[in-house]
């Protein structure tokens, strides 16, 4: 069976409506480790006027990754904090917190941040750290989520945006989107389909989290 020409539209739960307004705009800090397509999607949502926010700083941990180029093109400050130069996870997180605070960040978005975070970050930004993960959590946490989904033979895959907590890839779910898995899928083809949805739900999840925090 080949993939139908028109891929059935993904299911997003809860449905994403017009995003709430924020005045002043949300001050975001983004943590990313690689390509940064989610970072770009957040920036795009801001430019479109869909998400009222400002990316104050990008922090990345791998020298030479594409996300740094993307930030430079957008004129967003980008700081390399190479985890290899820190003895302990807590030391890296302390430097992350310092950098975020220096830039006036209120909300932290882990957009492909492939590091385990510690209470140093989670306590400094209590309930204000958002993560995107390429599976329908609680299924397939951790690394290689797409490969895990294919190996399990699931027929529906997807992505989850959630508030981060100490346990990796868990915490209160903000939004999820589901996509079909096709028999011919490779990790790359399935990841590409999932990422289209990540780019949809992540900006919406940021707005949702801020709205929910405002109502508490
Ligand atoms: C995304 O698919 C994200 O869900 C995943 O890394 C990718 C980063 O892509 N994150 C995790 O697996 C976290 N456990 P990007 O650099 O193109 O945004």
């Amino acid at each position: 069976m080949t993939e139908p020409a028109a891929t059935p539209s993904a299911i997003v739960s809860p449905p994403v409506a017009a995003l709430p307004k924020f005045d002043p705009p949300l001050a975001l800090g983004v943590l990313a480790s690689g390509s940064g397509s989610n970072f770009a999607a957040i920036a795009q949502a801001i430019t479109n006027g869909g998400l009222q926010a400002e990316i104050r700083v990008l922090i990345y941990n791998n020298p030479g990754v594409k996300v740094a180029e993307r930030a430079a093109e957008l004129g967003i400050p980008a700081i390399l904090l190479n985890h290899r130069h820190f003895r302990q996870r807590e030391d890296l997180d302390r430097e992350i917190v310092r950098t975020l605070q220096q830039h006036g960040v209120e909300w932290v978005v882990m957009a492909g941040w492939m590091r385990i975070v510690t209470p140093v970050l989670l306590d400094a930004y209590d309930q204000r750290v958002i993560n995107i993960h390429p599976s329908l959590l609680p299924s397939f946490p951790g690394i290689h989520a797409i490969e895990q989904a294919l190996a399990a033979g699931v027929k529906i895959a997807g992505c989850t945006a959630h508030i981060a907590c100490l346990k990796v890839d868990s915490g209160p779910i903000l939004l999820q989107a589901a996509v079909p898995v096709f028999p011919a899928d490779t990790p790359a083809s399935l990841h590409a389909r999932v990422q289209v949805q990540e780019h949809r739900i992540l900006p919406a999840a940021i707005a949702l989290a801020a709205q929910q925090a405002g109502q508490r």
Side-chain angles (χ1 to χ4, degrees):
M1 191 176 100
T2 54
E3 180 166 346
T7 301
S9 54
I11 298 168
V12 176
S13 186
V16 175
L19 302 187
K21 303 286 173 210
F22 300 101
D23 186 16
L26 305 173
L28 308 181
V30 177
L31 309 185
S33 297
S35 154
S37 69
N38 280 288
F39 167 79
I42 297 166
Q44 185 67 51
I46 293 171
T47 308
N48 291 346
L51 176 63
Q52 284 191 312
E54 183 190 353
I55 303 177
R56 295 284 182 90
V57 66
L58 164 74
I59 296 173
Y60 63 106
N61 64 313
N62 290 318
V65 284
K66 186 163 176 196
V67 71
E69 277 172 45
R70 295 189 199 258
E73 279 162 21
L74 294 167
I76 295 171
I79 312 266
L80 170 64
L81 294 180
N82 188 334
H83 62 277
R84 298 161 192 88
H85 299 165
F86 295 84
R87 280 189 51 200
Q88 294 187 328
R89 291 186 194 283
E90 286 78 5
D91 299 331
L92 171 65
D93 280 4
R94 251 185 291 281
E95 193 54 24
I96 290 173
V97 169
R98 206 181 62 78
T99 306
L100 294 170
Q101 289 175 343
Q102 222 172 36
H103 288 82
V105 167
E106 299 168 328
W107 287 88
V108 184
V109 186
M110 301 200 295
W113 181 244
M114 305 308 277
R115 303 298 305 163
I116 293 173
V117 295
T118 71
V120 172
L121 174 63
L122 295 178
D123 290 351
Y125 284 92
D126 186 29
Q127 304 296 308
R128 284 172 175 259
V129 180
I130 296 161
N131 184 42
I132 182 82
H133 184 72
S135 77
L136 293 173
L137 291 172
S139 292
F140 316 128
I143 57 168
H144 306 313
I146 298 284
E147 287 83 350
Q148 289 185 58
L150 286 173
V154 296
K155 303 301 175 215
I156 296 182
C159 51
T160 303
H162 64 97
I163 301 286
C165 70
L166 263 186
K167 196 168 162 215
V168 172
D169 297 324
S170 40
I173 291 173
L174 294 161
L175 284 169
Q176 290 185 307
V179 301
V181 179
F182 297 111
D185 266 329
T186 61
S189 67
L190 179 56
H191 195 199
R193 192 174 309 117
V194 167
Q195 283 219 295
V196 172
Q197 301 309 318
E198 290 188 338
H199 303 160
R200 247 174 111 191
I201 71 169
L202 184 54
I206 295 165
L208 190 62
Q211 186 185 40
Q212 287 175 359
Q215 288 164 355
R216 279 202 292 269

